[in-house]
Amino acid sequence: MLTRLKNVILPTRGGWSAQESRISIFLGRVFATIAVILVCIWCMKTNTDEKYLGGISFSNINRIFNLHPMCMVISMLFFMGMSLTSFRDGYSFKVSKYLHLNFNLLAKVFMIVGLRSAYIYRDEPEGKHSSYHYQHFGTMHSWMGLVTSFLLFQQDLLGGINFLYPKICGVPRYIIKGYKEYHGVMGKASFVMAGVAMVTGEILYSTLLFYY
């Protein structure tokens, strides 16, 4: 069942030629980089003609929320994408494993900053009384983001136990072998869910700005 789900979410290497795999990964990284650049411009540029969010700031409550879309796109789209494809770059397994780990850690740093900025904004009076305020976890976007974040953190926890410190944690080899497939499937599923969360967030933000 896990194998079928994995093939639906992302074709296996056997389904693609090596050249097709390299091209798809290269194009994916190019488009992810372009998306990050555009979102950073959208969030960081001053709102002179109401096409941009007006910049970011840790001290200005009206601008701290702008960290949320920027950090989440960097985390979920760029670093998660780099992490997922790190084993297809042609490096040794050991190098690929540590690239995978470091990209995941960077993704979590930006994710925590993004989640925290949204939480702070919603708790401050300026955020609570803004014209397009809504409660914590009052939208599908927020619940999708919460579930995705939970999946990603459990991936890190269980992945660390099974792959980084199996001897210290006393994990039997048969469990590691069985968990490996689960880890790959859930990693790809989490990436798809992150994409859905980002799209629903953009739709939500655009809709609120349009009506208010």
Side-chain angles (χ1 to χ4, degrees), residues 14-128:
W16 290 341
S17 68
Q19 184 177 4
E20 290 172 335
S21 181
R22 286 194 296 269
I23 292 174
S24 64
I25 290 172
F26 173 75
L27 290 177
R29 290 175 176 176
V30 168
F31 288 130
T33 303
I34 292 173
V36 167
I37 293 172
L38 292 176
V39 170
C40 287
I41 293 173
W42 180 51
C43 294
M44 297 177 69
K45 192 170 181 180
T46 55
N47 196 7
T48 54
D49 55 1
E50 298 185 354
K51 292 182 180 180
Y52 306 98
L53 298 186
I56 59 175
S57 173
F58 288 97
S59 57
N60 187 334
I61 193 62
N62 292 317
R63 293 183 179 181
I64 194 171
F65 184 77
N66 297 342
L67 285 164
H68 178 72
M70 186 179 74
C71 288
M72 298 310 280
V73 168
I74 294 173
S75 168
M76 300 282 195
L77 184 62
F78 184 76
F79 283 123
M80 275 186 63
M82 293 295 293
S83 174
L84 282 172
T85 58
S86 58
F87 287 97
R88 294 174 180 254
D89 284 333
Y91 300 113
S92 66
F93 178 79
K94 185 175 181 179
V95 172
S96 298
K97 181 173 73 172
Y98 283 104
L99 284 174
H100 182 74
L101 171 64
N102 288 319
F103 283 134
N104 271 323
L105 290 177
L106 287 170
K108 298 309 177 295
V109 170
F110 280 95
M111 181 193 300
I112 291 171
V113 174
L115 292 174
R116 182 60 178 162
S117 64
Y119 189 85
I120 291 174
Y121 178 76
R122 295 301 171 200
D123 272 356
E124 290 293 328
E126 292 88 343
K128 288 182 178 180

Side-chain angles (χ1 to χ4, degrees), residues 155-169:
Q155 282 282 93
D156 287 349
L157 176 62
L158 297 179
I161 293 174
N162 285 276
F163 300 137
L164 290 179
Y165 307 107
K167 294 182 179 179
I168 296 176
C169 299

